[in-house]
Amino acid sequence: MEPEREGTERHPRKVRESRQAPNKLVGAAEAMKAGWDLEESQPEAKKARLSTILFTDNCEVTHDQLCELLKYAVLGKSNVPKPSWCQLFHQNHLNNVVVFVLQGMSQLHFYRFYLEFGCLRKAFRHKFRLPPPSSDFLADVVGLQTEQRAGDLPKTMEGPLPSNAKAAINLQDDPIIQKYGSKKVGLTRCLLTKEEMRTFHFPLQGFPDCENFLLTKCNGSIADNSPLFGLDCEMCLTSKGRELTRISLVAEGGCCVMDELVKPENKILDYLTSFSGITKKILNPVTTKLKDVQRQLKALLPPDAVLVGHSLDLDLRALKMIHPYVIDTSLLYVREQGRRFKLKFLAKVILGKDIQCPDRLGHDATEDARTILELARYFLKHGPKKIAELNLEALANHQEIQAAGQEPKNTAEVLQHPNTSVLECLDSVGQKLLFLTRETDAGELPSSRNCQTIKCLSNKEVLEQARVEIPLFPFSIVQFSFKAFSPVLTEEMNKRMRIKWTEISTVYAGPFSKNCNLRALKRLFKSFGPVQSMTFVLETRQPHLCIQYEVLEAAQLAIESLDGILVDGICIKVQRPVTELTLDCDTLVNELEGDSENQGSIYLSGVSETFKEQLLQEPRLFLGLEAVILPKDLKSGKQKKYCFLSKDWKLKGRHALTPRHLHAWLRGLPPESTRLPGLRVVPPPFEQEALQTLKLDHPKIAAWRWSRKIGKLYNSLCPGTLCLILLPGTKSTHGSLSGLGLMGIKEEEESAGPGLCS
């Protein structure tokens, strides 16, 4: 049964007069949000960022809404609608998208082991609820329709290009003309700049992921007559990721100056024979190692050598070498929307050559290197205008349509359709999705031309592969699998969560005089926030009060404000009940206050209607305010007398402690779990035993270990990476658990610092 929810209202406003940088605000409680979009500031260097708050009631984000964001992250606003529940600014400055899926985990895992999930909750600003998963969670998230889940997606077929595929084109709109102009260019103009090399993930000196890379020592001055060398490498998949198995280097005259097979250092999992042509039989007698070809390549290249390749960044990473002067033909022959033409396509259209023929086992690295070199020479000889006149985009689109056996469609219309999947969006820009998972996992994506699936034996192997493979793909989904809670343990965990939250939101105050003014005391304690119950305790020699607050912030504010004060000449103590569930309460409160979602926001009590009206009608008076959360009572429809915002205007307040999605979830926990504060809850015997023996597969231990491991992996991602952590929840005949999502964009300073989990 769906839990009862509080009503919400929204009060959007535009504030253009504010020149102060907006304070970031995260609200708490299931609440009514007044969200103001402040006019975007113009920083010196634009970078991708997310909106301060999520535009969604109860902070529940559906799987379709997740898909909206992922598609927008791939294509941007000119191609697909903006996500309805958040804002992503400067999408074109995103470098990668990485989605971590923790199958078997739920929102209950996260808050039951909140302290153990320290690395992840500190790293990610946004948290949101997910509905219980369907049987095809991953397919839902990437937007695959039912017919696309059953089998393979359409595959591209290569074939002769008909002459009538060419269409008229305005040369000025061609991306090659827009980048290079219409006149012929020299060699130096075709070199990738350092900024471009950084954008396209070329290995560069000083970067953390290139610490053990070898420099070619080519540091001579470059001129238009500097020598070109075509380079192509073949790789296999090992226990440590992709490793080199063959290198071919071709000089300008077409002479092959280096063609070597290489024995990888680590155990080979897949020879990738269909691409590399390398088999176990071919590689068995080889003794040449990576260091040997590195030494040979350094000796061969002159100081002003220019390396030419197709997706050359992958070749240099396989070689573990850094070279400053490069031309990449996949970027030289610029395509619309950042897509790339395949080498086989360019060879056929530009040079009239058939390479990578299907009747041959794998690719010929020497033939590919020679073709790459010829493509670079053709560009330099004939210039951008000649290339633009070929109308490569129309030829490629026609070929793809013919290969799929479809009628031509308007690409923009297809992408705007709500049923378009993330895979189709990636395919439209010539990019691939990486999917890493365990072999035994049930949930997986169907095979397709632009989905590279790597199956591993364990979570540990998934993690190791992720470190190697994620930098090579613009979009990655990494799936870990954990054992779900048993029905008995789930029920017990739910009970304890509800009880714990009740107890830490309850305070005992006293002693008071027997002649105390009870009405005045009630007013005093109600001034800190909404009270669920207030009981006069007469069991003690002198009277005490037991106050149970609706929100944790109210209880904490009462303790901080009243503990130790004099009331009628008596020094009172204000404290929480002491039980096994509140023993670490001080630690928990400190961690909640330091949570990235609560930083920059404060809780205010005693908010009057006049204050609210002024807040909503005259927002320019509150400089720096970006949003306000105004909770509303479900039964009466009236707004409550507390709120969450980012400044204090002579009202009682403190830093926020609770994320917005948490209260609605707690209200949905089983009501029968309530008990008198202090009553002992005994964990199931099997859980006690597991904790005593510190079994690594216990949920508490798993949460701590994998939060740290994934946190370290997140720290290693390149800046500008949109990262999502999804705990999908669980669904079974015994009941369902809602999921949880964490989201953020990796910042430069996170890469430079020691890291949250170091």
Side-chain angles (χ1 to χ4, degrees):
M1 184 176 177
E2 181 73 9
E4 194 171 313
R5 298 176 179 175
E6 284 187 348
T8 60
E9 294 181 9
R10 296 174 54 143
H11 295 261
R13 284 186 179 271
K14 196 78 173 177
V15 183
R16 298 186 181 275
E17 290 76 12
S18 175
R19 295 184 181 179
Q20 181 178 340
N23 292 332
K24 295 185 176 180
L25 172 70
V26 177
E30 184 175 3
M32 183 277 274
K33 177 184 64 162
W36 298 324
D37 296 332
L38 295 183
E39 190 172 67
E40 251 181 272
S41 58
Q42 297 298 323
E44 292 181 8
K46 288 183 179 179
K47 59 183 179 180
R49 64 180 179 86
L50 289 160
S51 52
T52 306
I53 54 175
L54 305 181
F55 306 150
T56 178
D57 295 341
N58 305 321
C59 278
E60 180 167 288
V61 176
T62 67
H63 302 154
D64 288 341
Q65 289 175 319
L66 266 183
C67 186
E68 283 177 10
L69 173 66
L70 296 178
K71 290 193 291 187
Y72 186 76
V74 173
L75 293 179
K77 62 184 177 182
S78 61
N79 295 290
V80 293
K82 291 183 177 181
S84 59
W85 57 284
C86 68
Q87 285 181 290
L88 174 57
F89 299 106
H90 307 311
Q91 171 273 341
N92 57 326
H93 288 267
L94 278 180
N95 289 322
N96 298 82
V97 179
V98 180
V99 181
F100 294 104
V101 181
L102 278 55
Q103 285 287 2
M105 289 197 175
S106 65
Q107 186 167 221
L108 178 60
H109 281 82
F110 186 82
Y111 283 108
R112 178 65 183 87
F113 306 119
Y114 181 82
L115 297 177
E116 284 71 30
F117 275 107
C119 285
L120 296 185
R121 59 182 167 76
K122 290 176 182 177
F124 292 92
R125 165 71 184 275
H126 293 297
K127 301 177 186 71
F128 48 87
R129 289 198 303 161
L130 292 171
S134 67
S135 57
D136 289 318
F137 173 76
L138 280 176
D140 287 342
V141 169
V142 300
L144 291 180
Q145 302 307 301
T146 305
E147 63 274 11
Q148 293 174 313
R149 304 177 189 195
D152 291 358
L153 298 176
K155 289 182 167 57
T156 299
M157 294 163 52
E158 305 286 354
L161 295 173
S163 58
N164 61 0
K166 298 184 181 181
I169 184 173
N170 182 351
L171 292 183
Q172 296 308 311
D173 293 335
D174 191 286
I176 291 179
I177 299 295
Q178 290 177 351
K179 181 173 182 179
Y180 296 104
S182 56
K183 295 181 179 179
K184 293 182 182 181
V185 295
L187 181 151
T188 53
R189 177 69 178 85
C190 298
L191 295 174
L192 290 182
T193 64
K194 188 171 182 179
E195 186 59 36
E196 286 175 321
M197 292 176 72
R198 177 177 178 176
T199 300
F200 295 110
H201 311 299
F202 277 76
L204 291 171
Q205 190 174 5
F207 275 54
D209 60 340
C210 304
E211 290 176 354
N212 299 319
F213 281 39
L214 199 65
L215 277 72
T216 58
K217 300 296 184 184
C218 293
N219 51 11
S221 58
I222 296 295
D224 287 341
N225 61 352
S226 291
L228 298 177
F229 291 85
L231 175 68
D232 188 63
C233 295
E234 301 297 344
M235 280 82 85
C236 68
L237 190 64
T238 74
S239 58
K240 294 297 183 181
R242 295 178 186 268
E243 291 192 48
L244 185 70
T245 53
R246 183 181 177 184
I247 174 175
S248 291
L249 189 71
V250 175
E252 277 198 76
C255 176
C256 181
V257 294
M258 184 178 180
D259 187 17
E260 293 284 349
L261 292 170
V262 183
K263 178 69 70 72
E265 296 288 343
N266 299 289
K267 181 182 177 182
I268 297 176
L269 304 177
D270 189 342
Y271 285 87
L272 303 176
T273 305
S274 60
F275 299 103
S276 66
I278 305 296
T279 63
K280 183 177 181 179
K281 183 178 179 181
I282 292 174
L283 214 55
N284 263 346
V286 176
T287 58
T288 304
K289 296 289 188 178
L290 177 63
K291 62 182 180 181
D292 300 321
V293 296
Q294 287 176 331
R295 190 184 307 114
Q296 190 177 346
L297 189 61
K298 280 184 66 175
L300 277 171
L301 295 177
D304 60 343
V306 176
L307 290 180
V308 186
H310 196 84
S311 296
L312 184 58
D313 56 307
L314 301 180
D315 297 322
L316 289 173
R317 286 190 176 275
L319 283 164
K320 293 190 176 181
M321 297 188 77
I322 296 172
H323 187 76
Y325 313 124
V326 297
I327 295 175
D328 193 320
T329 51
S330 72
L331 301 171
L332 184 67
Y333 288 84
V334 189
R335 194 175 183 185
E336 292 178 357
Q337 299 175 343
R339 303 168 69 186
R340 301 194 192 191
F341 294 112
K342 294 182 179 179
L343 179 60
K344 181 175 181 177
F345 170 81
L346 291 176
K348 180 67 177 177
V349 176
I350 304 293
L351 307 174
K353 293 176 60 173
D354 288 309
I355 64 170
Q356 302 175 358
C357 299
D359 58 348
R360 190 164 54 196
L361 184 63
H363 301 172
D364 184 331
T366 302
E367 180 184 54
D368 287 356
R370 190 174 286 117
T371 301
I372 290 164
L373 195 56
E374 290 176 20
L375 285 170
R377 298 306 309 175
Y378 186 96
F379 191 96
L380 292 169
K381 180 179 179 180
H382 296 282
K385 185 178 179 182
K386 175 71 172 178
I387 309 299
E389 288 172 348
L390 293 172
N391 200 351
L392 297 177
E393 190 69 38
L395 290 167
N397 288 338
H398 181 87
Q399 185 188 41
E400 290 172 3
I401 290 165
Q402 291 292 100
Q406 300 171 338
E407 291 297 318
K409 294 181 180 179
N410 184 309
T411 303
E413 288 180 7
V414 172
L415 295 177
Q416 289 280 347
H417 196 279
N419 290 335
T420 302
S421 71
V422 172
L423 285 173
E424 289 170 317
C425 292
L426 286 166
D427 191 42
S428 72
V429 291
Q431 294 179 345
K432 276 191 172 185
L433 180 147
L434 168 68
F435 179 48
L436 277 168
T437 185
R438 294 199 323 186
E439 287 184 354
T440 55
D441 287 347
E444 61 180 65
L445 298 176
S447 59
S448 73
R449 64 185 176 192
N450 66 325
C451 179
Q452 174 73 48
T453 299
I454 299 177
K455 294 189 176 183
C456 305
L457 297 176
S458 64
N459 283 338
K460 182 180 179 181
E461 190 177 326
V462 170
L463 184 72
E464 291 172 351
Q465 290 291 337
R467 291 194 185 104
V468 176
E469 297 292 336
I470 284 176
L472 307 179
F473 289 83
F475 196 112
S476 304
I477 296 178
V478 181
Q479 180 172 254
F480 301 96
S481 293
F482 303 93
K483 186 177 181 181
F485 287 158
S486 68
V488 174
L489 186 56
T490 297
E491 183 181 359
E492 191 65 30
M493 292 288 189
N494 273 324
K495 288 180 181 179
R496 275 184 278 174
M497 274 300 300
R498 181 64 180 264
I499 295 168
K500 181 167 186 170
W501 211 258
T502 298
E503 290 183 351
I504 63 176
S505 300
T506 299
V507 298
Y508 282 90
F512 296 106
S513 165
K514 293 180 179 179
N515 299 320
C516 65
N517 186 333
L518 186 57
R519 183 173 296 178
L521 286 177
K522 286 184 177 181
R523 282 199 306 268
L524 173 64
F525 283 98
K526 284 183 177 180
S527 70
F528 297 103
V531 172
Q532 279 195 328
S533 66
M534 190 179 298
T535 309
F536 211 43
V537 180
L538 299 175
E539 295 294 323
T540 51
R541 183 169 178 269
Q542 289 179 283
H544 286 68
L545 279 177
C546 173
I547 307 100
Q548 183 183 328
Y549 287 99
E550 279 186 28
V551 292
L552 175 61
E553 285 85 353
Q556 188 66 22
L557 186 57
I559 293 171
E560 293 168 349
S561 303
L562 300 181
D563 188 35
I565 70 167
L566 290 176
V567 177
D568 294 334
I570 301 175
C571 180
I572 67 167
K573 187 169 184 62
V574 182
Q575 60 187 336
R576 290 186 175 87
V578 179
T579 72
E580 76 275 16
L581 296 180
T582 61
L583 285 174
D584 62 354
C585 184
D586 290 342
T587 302
L588 179 61
V589 168
N590 288 336
E591 290 295 311
L592 282 166
E593 189 169 336
D595 193 300
S596 58
E597 192 170 359
N598 294 324
Q599 289 177 2
S601 42
I602 60 172
Y603 161 85
L604 293 179
S605 67
V607 178
S608 66
E609 292 300 321
T610 303
F611 178 83
K612 292 177 189 175
E613 289 173 7
Q614 188 179 29
L615 186 67
L616 296 174
Q617 294 174 6
E618 298 292 337
R620 61 173 61 89
L621 297 177
F622 306 98
L623 294 180
L625 180 64
E626 200 168 67
V628 58
I629 312 298
L630 297 173
K632 187 177 178 183
D633 187 88
L634 181 65
K635 295 180 180 178
S636 67
K638 294 181 180 180
Q639 291 173 356
K640 298 184 178 180
K641 294 184 178 181
Y642 70 95
C643 68
F644 292 84
L645 64 165
S646 57
K647 282 187 178 292
D648 186 348
W649 289 280
K650 298 181 180 179
L651 300 167
K652 292 180 180 177
R654 73 169 324 281
H655 287 291
L657 298 173
T658 46
R660 290 176 58 201
H661 58 270
L662 184 58
H663 288 259
W665 175 60
L666 287 169
R667 280 196 301 276
L669 294 178
E672 66 272 11
S673 62
T674 55
R675 65 176 173 89
L676 292 174
L679 186 63
R680 189 162 184 264
V681 176
V682 181
F686 61 84
E687 191 194 357
Q688 287 183 327
E689 181 183 349
L691 279 172
Q692 289 167 1
T693 57
L694 290 178
K695 289 182 178 179
L696 294 181
D697 58 350
H698 185 273
K700 186 183 184 78
I701 308 302
W704 178 78
R705 290 178 70 241
W706 285 97
S707 173
R708 290 179 61 83
K709 289 177 183 292
I710 297 172
K712 288 181 179 179
L713 182 55
Y714 171 75
N715 287 335
S716 71
L717 299 178
C718 70
T721 296
L722 172 64
C723 186
L724 286 86
I725 309 282
L726 303 181
L727 287 66
T730 59
K731 197 169 188 177
S732 70
T733 55
H734 302 284
S736 300
L737 293 177
S738 57
L740 184 74
L742 298 87
M743 177 174 67
I745 295 178
K746 181 71 183 301
E747 301 279 353
E748 285 276 3
E749 52 267 26
E750 291 176 295
S751 299
L756 294 167
C757 303
S758 56

